[in-house]
Amino acid sequence: ASIRAAAAAHGLPVGIHTTSGRQARAYLDVGLDMVTVSTDAAILRTAVTAELGAARGTAAGTATGGY
């Protein structure tokens, strides 16, 4: 039996951690009940890259304020 079928038989939701919105959508489309959209490390890397680019003058930053 599949994990989804076994979980459904016991009234349990099935979820998975994914690394992108696209991957999350794919798992939702095949019937999973919950997904994460990314990881904290990936989100942090994206934010830091954007902010460093802004500080270097090579890209727009995303921060809207200070502390």
Side-chain angles (χ1 to χ4, degrees), residues 19-44:
T19 58
S20 69
R22 180 176 290 153
Q23 188 181 48
R25 178 78 258 159
Y27 280 109
L28 291 169
D29 287 345
V30 297
L32 269 66
D33 302 301
M34 58 188 172
V35 297
T36 59
V37 175
S38 189
T39 64
D40 54 350
I43 291 169
L44 181 60

